[in-house]
Amino acid sequence: ILAVSSTSCLRSKILSSYDMIMICLSLSRFFLQTWMMLDLFLSLFCEMSYYEENLFVIFKTVFMFLNNSSLWFAAWLSFFYCTKVVRFTQSLFIWLKQRISSLMPWMLITSSFFSFATSLPFAWDIYNVHVNFTDPLTMTNSSERRVTMKTSLFVLILFCNAGIALPLIVFVVSSILLIRSLCIHIRQMQNIATGFRDPSLEAHIGAIKSVFSFLILYVTYFISLVLVLSNFFLPLSMGEAMCIAVMAACPAGHSMVLIWSNPKFRELPARILHHTNCHAR
């Protein structure tokens, strides 16, 4: 996705809103996946070094920034599709539809700064919360530590929810509006169908499948993320491992659906596969 979008920009010498979103999304996904693998590797094989205060804080803070950025960029992609496909009658939505190309760079920059701001509290309190959850409480300081732990945890949950709930709302609302609009278009096409296979109708059905897949993957990732951040499972337990695996699989699945649903993205892998087969022969 990154290669095709970057090549398209270089050829046209114009950075379109769609290519801008795809470049930001693919970069954030790449760095997020790499960071998650490095985090998992260190937590399993370098446990003593990993749980040192400075390193632990850096890993969790950077993870939250990359995660929130990735969620926002995916939400803006859904919002972009929505403004291009859905027919609005309200003046505000018509204004957005007409100016989405000029607004999109600022939306991406603003969401990046917002992701950075909502990840900063993890640099202040994540290590203390981790220690309070993992260290046994003594009778003398149990009450004081419980109050401190609850305060720190409340702050982290507040900023975490702000960082991941807002893009979730944007994504879900945009996806539902998009699916609804596509369903209306399909019903209109079916009413005037001539009996032959209509490529436009099949394209709309494929678009609904893609958007619905995006929605399922996004919500699944969100649920797994909440379970991991809330320490719902014990560290290194099977439940936590499954959630981490789902968190790693959902962005990859989203990228695969994007490639499958866009002929421009399908062309490059097909070309690479063709050259590989030719060299193999």
Side-chain angles (χ1 to χ4, degrees):
I1 293 172
L2 178 61
V4 172
S5 300
S6 301
T7 304
S8 175
C9 294
L10 292 173
R11 285 177 179 174
S12 62
K13 297 182 180 179
I14 297 174
L15 186 59
S16 66
S17 297
Y18 180 75
D19 287 332
M20 198 182 304
I21 298 171
M22 298 309 297
I23 289 172
C24 291
L25 179 61
S26 56
L27 280 174
S28 65
R29 289 278 171 81
F30 173 78
F31 287 122
L32 177 62
Q33 296 279 53
T34 304
W35 199 260
M36 287 176 63
M37 288 189 290
L38 183 59
D39 184 281
L40 182 62
F41 177 83
L42 289 177
S43 64
L44 290 176
F45 301 106
C46 305
E47 188 174 353
M48 295 299 294
S49 301
Y50 176 77
Y51 286 107
E52 290 180 0
E53 181 174 358
N54 291 335
L55 189 62
F56 185 79
V57 167
I58 290 171
F59 265 89
K60 296 308 176 185
T61 305
V62 172
F63 167 77
M64 287 307 302
F65 169 70
L66 293 173
N67 171 76
N68 293 351
S69 298
S70 178
L71 291 176
W72 271 114
F73 297 150
W76 290 138
L77 178 63
S78 179
F79 180 78
F80 180 79
Y81 284 147
C82 183
T83 56
K84 290 297 183 181
V85 175
V86 180
R87 296 175 182 175
F88 297 106
T89 56
Q90 292 83 359
S91 57
L92 175 62
F93 290 110
I94 294 173
W95 181 84
L96 280 173
K97 191 180 184 75
Q98 293 172 344
R99 291 168 175 80
I100 187 64
S101 297
S102 59
L103 289 174
M104 187 52 66
W106 296 106
M107 293 163 70
L108 293 171
I109 293 171
T110 303
S111 59
S112 298
F113 278 117
F114 184 79
S115 300
F116 179 74
T118 52
S119 63
L120 279 181
F122 285 79
W124 302 328
D125 284 323
I126 186 66
Y127 186 76
N128 293 331
V129 170
H130 169 75
V131 170
N132 285 329
F133 269 107
T134 54
D135 286 357
L137 291 173
T138 60
M139 293 299 293
T140 55
N141 65 350
S142 61
S143 298
E144 182 180 351
R145 284 184 61 187
R146 282 196 184 97
V147 172
T148 304
M149 182 172 62
K150 286 180 180 179
T151 304
S152 300
L153 187 60
F154 174 77
V155 172
L156 287 182
I157 290 174
L158 180 65
F159 279 91
C160 177
N161 287 337
I164 64 179
L166 290 178
L168 175 71
I169 294 170
V170 173
F171 186 91
V172 170
V173 172
S174 301
S175 298
I176 291 174
L177 289 173
L178 191 55
I179 291 173
R180 178 178 173 273
S181 178
L182 289 170
C183 288
I184 292 173
H185 289 171
I186 286 176
R187 282 199 296 268
Q188 292 173 348
M189 290 178 180
Q190 288 174 337
N191 291 334
I192 60 174
T194 59
F196 297 98
R197 294 181 63 182
D198 188 353
S200 180
L201 180 62
E202 292 183 0
H204 276 69
I205 294 174
I208 289 179
K209 291 178 181 178
S210 299
V211 175
F212 190 73
S213 301
F214 295 159
L215 186 59
I216 295 298
L217 290 169
Y218 198 99
V219 173
T220 303
Y221 180 89
F222 179 83
I223 293 172
S224 301
L225 177 65
V226 170
L227 291 175
V228 170
L229 292 178
S230 61
N231 291 318
F232 187 82
F233 299 106
L234 293 174
L236 303 178
S237 64
M238 182 61 69
E240 185 186 57
M242 289 179 63
C243 287
I244 293 173
V246 169
M247 288 172 60
C250 284
H254 186 256
S255 299
M256 292 301 295
V257 175
L258 280 173
I259 294 171
W260 170 77
S261 60
N262 192 321
K264 185 173 72 171
F265 294 143
R266 288 201 307 266
E267 183 182 347
L268 181 61
R271 204 184 310 158
I272 293 172
L273 185 62
H274 175 73
H275 284 300
T276 303
N277 290 336
C278 290
H279 286 300
R281 290 173 186 175

